[in-house]
Amino acid sequence: MDWVALITKYPEISIFLSILLGHLVAKAKIGHFSLGPVVGTLIAGLVVGIVAKPVIPDIVRWAFFDLFLFAIGYSVGPQFFSSIKRSAIPQIIVTVVVNVSGLLAVIACCYFLRFDQGTTVGVLSGSLTQSAALGTGISALNELPLPDDQKNKLIANVPIADALTYVFGDLGLMLMLVMILPALFRIDLRKECEILEEALKKNSSESSDSFFQSPNKETIRAYIVSNSNFFDKNIQEIEKSFPNTRVYIDKVMRDGKLLEVAPELKVIKGDIVTISGWRSGFIHGVEVLGPEVDSNVMLSVETSVRKIFITNKEIDGMKLGQLAEQGRGLFLKKITRGPVELPVGPNLELHRGDVVYLMGSPKNLDRATKVLGFAESDPKKSDLAFIGACICVGIILGMFSFNLKNVPLGLGASGSILVVGLIAGWAQKRFPKVGSIPESAQQILIDIGLIVFIAVIGLKSGPHAVEAIQAGGFEMVLKIFISGAIATLVGPIVGFLVGRFILRQNGATTLATIGGAQTVMVSLNALQDASGSKVLATYFTLPYALGNILLTLWGPVIVAVSSLWQ
């Protein structure tokens, strides 16, 4: 079969072939490190583009990129706006310092080496590992007042520089955060995280401790109340008779009839009660109530897990321990902030936009939902009209710009779509009846939007890549790699010095903040492995949201600045 002829006739095959090959490349690992699907797909796209030279309309890459940008903004919007408060100022300062320092390092290196605008965009997106900046930079290149053939050459240089710098952008950052900075400044990650964990769990109470225990299989049992110590006691008093555990009375049967369960309901001799809780809770003597019975009616207790978004402003800033005290009949499965699962403990501060996963009966879950915010709507439905409207608004807003020395300055369509997505994500959590996009759908938009965009970039740039590499030679490749390495390291170093010695922040939390600012999820995994703790996740989420915004906006900024020395 003539594959080149097949791809020429059906160019859409080249997109999916690039994605397939890119993910196969991403599976290759050296230790814990791999290229990742984005870089893998970019490289595969370049190769397929060189061989087959498929013709793909520009609308394909921009349509998918717009979906990606909107989904990124929508997903980080709630965390971004809810986390902006006085206590977060140190994290915000470090994040801004890291991102601005990285931008200035790219500008300095590329100015010194007189790179063109396209190469400069690639060095920025690769060294700071932000593929969205690659897209916003290319969008800005398309707006330059240059002939089409010259713009095409500049755009072709972007993925080459990105691929040459992205690998060290990931690997260099992880080495800096996990090995180099801790060694230079004598940071014991395990010890510092142990201190943070103790602070997270400090002042816990017996009645709420089990709210934070690792979930084990739920157990339901029924007992006949025959112990006189529990006669004429209400349900709340009986439940408190078993400290250091979390068990609840879900049903009460008296004379063959089920009673309405309420904390003030008094239990009498002969009542049959249904107790539910984690299996570990039943080793603390619940059987003292009386003999256990097997009853289909009493043991058929409906429970489920519900995903609840915190939107109530009265909950914002509340400690998780305070919430646990009010959580009768509920068990915490996990809590997330953005893409990160948080460590749980009584002193964890809750933010609007956080998502809690609670287990309990429908009645108790309904009560919790009213207090916290709202439950996830149908996870199988997305408001596609809302997505379309927001992207249209973003494109229209992107038309407004002004020129500085013939260089258009403004957010552009890409930056405007990102901002609209931020506002839309934030607003949806305030008005949940409009614009619902389940988290699974958000992730699909992010994944498919970015990977198709990257594949098309590689395919369209492939035919020009060989020419560009031949013209620059090994010397140009080396210059691009060194520039990217410098830009990767400058931001974390400057950010650490500011966080540790000016703001006097904990060393481990500063490292997590830097990883979030660079939007490198694997850096959080590396820090958690090195420290043996998940407590640093709470210091990663806000910088991650803010870093996604700033680094994406750097695309048009770097094009405008680099145009000044051409």
Side-chain angles (χ1 to χ4, degrees):
M1 180 182 291
D2 188 342
W3 286 99
V4 174
L6 181 65
I7 291 175
T8 301
K9 186 176 181 180
Y10 304 102
E12 63 270 23
I13 292 178
S14 63
I15 298 176
F16 297 105
L17 179 61
S18 299
I19 295 172
L20 169 63
L21 296 176
H23 280 71
L24 292 177
V25 170
K27 290 182 181 297
K29 290 186 176 182
I30 301 175
H32 293 290
F33 179 76
S34 67
L35 287 177
V38 173
V39 178
T41 300
L42 179 60
I43 294 172
L46 287 168
V47 173
V48 174
I50 291 171
V51 174
K53 299 180 177 61
V55 179
I56 300 173
D58 270 354
I59 191 174
V60 175
R61 64 176 173 181
W62 293 121
F64 279 91
F65 187 61
D66 290 347
L67 286 172
F68 162 73
L69 281 178
F70 172 76
I72 279 286
Y74 187 95
S75 64
V76 304
Q79 288 74 41
F80 173 69
F81 288 108
S82 66
S83 297
I84 298 178
K85 52 186 68 177
R86 184 180 295 274
S87 61
I89 289 177
Q91 286 181 278
I92 294 173
I93 291 174
V94 172
T95 301
V96 172
V97 167
V98 169
N99 287 310
V100 171
S101 298
L103 173 65
L104 294 177
V106 172
I107 292 172
C109 290
C110 295
Y111 171 76
F112 179 75
L113 296 170
R114 288 299 191 272
F115 286 161
D116 60 49
Q117 297 102 312
T119 303
T120 304
V121 169
V123 171
L124 174 81
S125 62
S127 63
L128 303 185
T129 62
Q130 180 54 264
S131 297
L134 182 147
T136 56
I138 290 177
S139 178
L141 290 173
N142 275 319
E143 300 298 323
L144 292 175
L146 298 172
D148 286 345
D149 61 335
Q150 190 172 345
K151 285 195 285 189
N152 289 336
K153 288 182 179 179
L154 292 176
I155 292 172
N157 290 338
V158 176
I160 298 171
D162 181 90
L164 290 172
T165 55
Y166 199 103
V167 175
F168 188 84
D170 261 352
L171 182 60
L173 178 66
M174 286 192 290
L175 292 174
M176 181 64 65
L177 296 182
V178 177
M179 297 178 64
I180 298 173
L181 288 175
L184 288 176
F185 295 96
R186 298 180 180 179
I187 300 172
D188 188 332
L189 287 172
R190 288 187 176 274
K191 184 176 180 180
E192 294 204 9
C193 286
E194 286 174 2
I195 295 172
L196 293 171
E197 285 182 340
E198 289 177 6
L200 187 66
K201 298 175 181 177
K202 189 177 180 181
N203 298 326
S204 62
S205 65
E206 290 183 347
S207 61
S208 65
D209 262 356
S210 57
F211 190 65
F212 313 107
Q213 290 177 355
S214 299
N216 49 63
K217 187 174 178 61
E218 184 198 17
T219 299
I220 300 173
R221 295 182 181 178
Y223 300 91
I224 300 175
V225 179
S226 59
N227 187 333
S228 60
N229 292 327
F230 297 99
F231 295 168
D232 295 322
K233 282 191 174 183
N234 62 40
I235 287 178
Q236 188 173 36
E237 291 173 328
I238 294 175
E239 291 172 345
K240 288 184 177 181
S241 300
F242 305 101
N244 303 317
T245 186
R246 197 174 186 84
V247 292
Y248 294 99
I249 296 177
D250 285 313
K251 288 184 176 182
V252 177
M253 178 180 284
R254 182 175 299 165
D255 298 328
K257 296 181 179 180
L258 290 174
L259 305 181
E260 182 70 23
V261 175
E264 62 276 6
L265 175 65
K266 289 188 176 182
V267 173
I268 64 174
K269 181 181 179 180
D271 283 350
I272 302 176
V273 296
T274 300
I275 306 287
S276 65
W278 294 136
R279 178 182 291 170
S280 57
F282 286 84
I283 65 174
H284 292 282
V286 175
E287 67 278 0
V288 299
L289 285 167
E292 186 173 355
V293 296
D294 183 10
S295 167
N296 289 333
V297 174
M298 298 304 289
L299 295 178
S300 59
V301 177
E302 181 184 356
T303 60
S304 61
V305 176
R306 184 177 296 181
K307 181 178 177 181
I308 304 175
F309 296 87
I310 296 178
T311 59
N312 187 345
K313 62 182 180 181
E314 294 181 2
I315 302 297
D316 190 34
M318 179 183 288
K319 302 294 185 182
L320 188 56
Q322 296 174 271
L323 187 66
E325 296 288 349
Q326 306 173 29
R328 183 191 176 276
L330 297 169
F331 302 88
L332 179 68
K333 298 282 282 186
K334 65 177 180 177
I335 179 167
T336 62
R337 184 172 297 160
V340 178
E341 182 177 342
L342 300 179
V344 294
N347 290 321
L348 176 67
E349 187 176 287
L350 299 171
H351 295 167
R352 295 170 83 177
D354 287 350
V355 182
V356 293
Y357 294 75
L358 295 176
M359 187 181 77
S361 66
K363 180 180 179 180
N364 287 326
L365 289 173
D366 289 342
R367 174 173 53 85
T369 301
K370 289 179 181 179
V371 172
L372 296 175
F374 68 94
E376 181 182 42
S377 56
D378 189 344
K380 297 180 181 179
K381 292 183 179 180
S382 297
D383 193 337
L384 297 181
F386 181 76
I387 296 173
C390 288
I391 293 177
C392 286
V393 170
I395 292 173
I396 293 171
L397 291 176
M399 295 178 181
F400 298 97
S401 64
F402 65 94
N403 290 332
L404 177 64
K405 294 185 178 181
N406 292 323
V407 177
L409 294 178
L411 287 175
S414 299
S416 297
I417 291 170
L418 176 69
V419 172
V420 170
L422 282 168
I423 297 172
W426 169 81
Q428 200 278 327
K429 295 300 182 286
R430 300 296 184 275
F431 310 100
K433 293 184 179 180
V434 179
S436 174
I437 308 174
E439 284 190 344
S440 57
Q442 295 173 36
Q443 194 58 51
I444 289 174
L445 290 177
I446 291 172
D447 291 343
I448 198 70
L450 177 61
I451 211 69
V452 171
F453 170 75
I454 290 296
V456 176
I457 287 294
L459 291 167
K460 293 181 74 69
S461 301
H464 305 283
V466 175
E467 178 185 341
I469 293 175
Q470 288 176 341
F474 177 75
E475 181 181 354
M476 177 58 70
V477 171
L478 186 61
K479 287 179 179 179
I480 291 173
F481 178 81
I482 292 175
S483 300
I486 292 172
T488 295
L489 300 178
V490 166
I493 292 172
V494 176
F496 181 82
L497 294 176
V498 170
R500 190 76 175 92
F501 298 105
I502 296 179
L503 300 176
R504 301 293 181 182
Q505 297 296 294
N506 174 286
T509 61
T510 302
L511 294 174
T513 299
I514 293 169
Q518 292 281 75
T519 67
V520 179
M521 284 295 299
V522 291
S523 70
L524 176 61
N525 298 334
L527 285 169
Q528 289 177 335
D529 288 343
S531 64
S533 170
K534 292 186 177 181
V535 71
L536 294 179
T538 55
Y539 302 91
F540 183 90
T541 53
L542 171 59
Y544 180 82
L546 181 56
N548 266 296
I549 298 166
L550 292 177
L551 293 176
T552 301
L553 296 178
W554 284 172
V557 170
I558 201 70
V559 171
V561 174
S562 61
S563 295
L564 299 177
W565 67 69
Q566 302 303 320

